[in-house]
Amino acid sequence: MPVVIGGVEQIEFQELRANAEYQGDYNEQTPVIQWFWKIVEGMSQDELKHLLHFVTGTFKVPVGGFAHLYCSNGPQKFTIMRTHKIGMPTAHSWYVLIDSW
C-alpha cells in the first residue's frame, strides 16, 4: 500500500534516461546532455533522489515508473530544455522540467 500512496523509492538510471525528452536545441547527442547523463549515472541513490526532488518536487518515482510523471498540465516526461538564459540550471517542478543555458 505505501507504494501506491507514496511512489517507488528505488530510482533506476536507465529508466529515467529512457523516459527523458529534450527541448530547445538539445537532443541525445548534444555534448551537455551527454555530460549530464554521465554525471547522473555516477550518482548514488541519495543523490538521485535529490535530483528527482529538484526537478519534480518529490523524492520518489511515481507508481508505474518515469513514464507516469505528471505535472500541473497532466502527463509530462522528465524534460531538459535549453533556454539561452545565462545562469544556473533551473527546475520547474510543476512542469517536470530543467532549464539550462
Side-chain angles (χ1 to χ4, degrees), residues 39-100:
I39 291 166
V40 172
E41 185 174 27
M43 289 181 169
S44 68
Q45 279 294 305
D46 190 54
E47 291 167 328
L48 286 169
K49 287 178 185 178
H50 281 87
L51 173 64
L52 185 63
H53 185 254
F54 176 70
V55 178
T56 67
T58 182
F59 289 100
K60 296 182 181 179
V61 178
V63 175
F66 286 107
H68 298 277
L69 284 173
Y70 280 82
C71 72
S72 60
N73 295 330
Q76 174 69 46
K77 289 198 175 232
F78 182 93
T79 305
I80 304 172
M81 179 176 79
R82 185 171 187 153
T83 63
H84 299 285
K85 296 177 186 175
I86 296 174
M88 297 299 290
T90 306
H92 302 281
S93 57
W94 58 94
Y95 291 119
V96 191
L97 171 71
I98 297 176
D99 283 345
S100 95

